[in-house]
Amino acid sequence: VDLMFYHLDVFEEHHNVDIETLRCFREKEGGIWVNVVGVHDVTLLRALGDIFQLHPLTVEDIANTDQRPKYEDYPNYLFCVLNMIQYDEKAQELALEHLSFVAGDHFMISFQEEEGDVFDNVRERFRQNKGKLRQANSDRCMYALMDAVVDGYFVALEKLGDGIDACEDGLFANIEKVDLAEIHSFKREVLDFRKSVWPLRDELSMLERTDSPL
């Protein structure tokens, strides 16, 4: 659990914080961004739910990594689920990861399955006080994180396109050596990509139309 705290000219960054430290920062005047790596620790998720007054169904949804992207509007926070897509250079394939965002009054929590994400640019903007992230409520932080995820889609898509082009070149160079497994792999990745991205349109449309003060 990593935490960024910001208020006026004050900025603090803490790594591997415990629940009590998190509770103390939650009670301070100012904004916080909490990033949680690992979503299968039920005790941790329940403790976070207690601190930030999350509905039990939200806590369950955070731990359930098989969901499609979706958006839910609760009285005291917004809840979003989406997929982060990165290209695994070592495995030469797309890596999809389940993300959950909870944006409430002066707090933003992001949940990811494993180490490694596309948020480094957002972190640097907080550290260097670039833009209005420190001056705004949590909705701007959530927007910045979602924007980083979508930017990552274009990078992954470009890598996927390069792989398909190489496969096509090899196919035309020697039609007798057709690698059906590779072609099937690309087809599966394209379908997985579409499943992750397409529902996000409806999710963002609902966010645009919400009456929530957040």
Side-chain angles (χ1 to χ4, degrees):
V1 180
D2 296 334
L3 177 147
M4 288 186 175
F5 170 80
Y6 49 96
H7 179 61
L8 300 177
D9 294 330
V10 177
F11 174 76
E12 299 179 27
E13 184 173 3
H14 303 272
H15 301 286
N16 300 318
V17 299
D18 57 32
I19 289 299
E20 290 309 313
T21 301
L22 197 58
R23 196 184 302 275
C24 290
F25 274 99
R26 174 64 181 129
E27 295 172 355
K28 290 185 178 183
E29 184 178 359
I32 56 174
W33 170 25
V34 180
N35 188 63
V36 181
V37 178
V39 294
H40 301 298
D41 186 338
V42 177
T43 302
L44 173 62
L45 294 183
R46 286 176 178 169
L48 289 169
D50 177 60
I51 294 172
F52 295 97
Q53 299 181 336
L54 305 183
H55 194 281
L57 290 178
T58 299
V59 176
E60 287 184 19
D61 285 344
I62 292 169
N64 180 9
T65 58
D66 295 325
Q67 298 182 76
R68 295 180 64 197
K70 68 174 184 177
Y71 157 75
E72 292 178 346
D73 189 346
Y74 286 85
N76 58 321
Y77 61 87
L78 307 178
F79 177 59
C80 290
V81 174
L82 64 162
N83 287 324
M84 177 171 61
I85 305 176
Q86 300 184 86
Y87 189 77
D88 188 332
E89 294 284 357
K90 186 176 181 180
Q92 294 288 295
E93 63 181 13
L94 295 181
L96 278 67
E97 183 174 343
H98 175 273
L99 295 178
S100 297
F101 293 152
V102 178
D105 188 23
H106 299 296
F107 74 86
M108 170 69 205
I109 318 173
S110 50
F111 297 87
Q112 57 190 80
E113 294 181 72
E114 300 175 357
E115 291 281 358
D117 53 47
V118 294
F119 303 147
D120 285 345
N121 182 55
V122 181
R123 293 185 179 97
E124 284 304 313
R125 287 165 61 189
F126 267 111
R127 291 166 184 150
Q128 299 177 24
N129 200 16
K130 289 184 177 180
K132 299 180 179 179
L133 280 177
R134 289 201 208 168
Q135 287 76 44
N137 200 355
S138 57
D139 53 355
R140 185 176 290 271
C141 179
M142 185 171 75
Y143 172 86
L145 295 176
M146 295 182 82
D147 190 49
V149 170
V150 173
D151 284 346
Y153 290 169
F154 289 99
V155 176
L157 195 59
E158 184 177 359
K159 291 285 189 179
L160 181 59
D162 290 343
I164 292 174
D165 288 342
C167 178
E168 186 180 55
D169 290 343
L171 179 64
F172 283 111
N174 190 345
I175 192 66
E176 294 180 356
K177 291 188 177 180
V178 178
D179 190 339
L180 292 178
E182 184 178 22
I183 293 173
H184 177 74
S185 177
F186 280 126
K187 180 181 179 181
R188 178 181 54 79
E189 288 189 314
V190 170
L191 290 174
D192 287 344
F193 204 109
R194 180 181 176 85
K195 285 182 191 176
S196 296
V197 174
W198 193 256
L200 195 58
R201 295 179 56 185
D202 293 335
E203 181 176 349
L204 294 176
S205 178
M206 291 175 67
L207 271 169
E208 285 184 322
R209 298 194 305 266
T210 181
D211 294 327
S212 169
L214 293 165

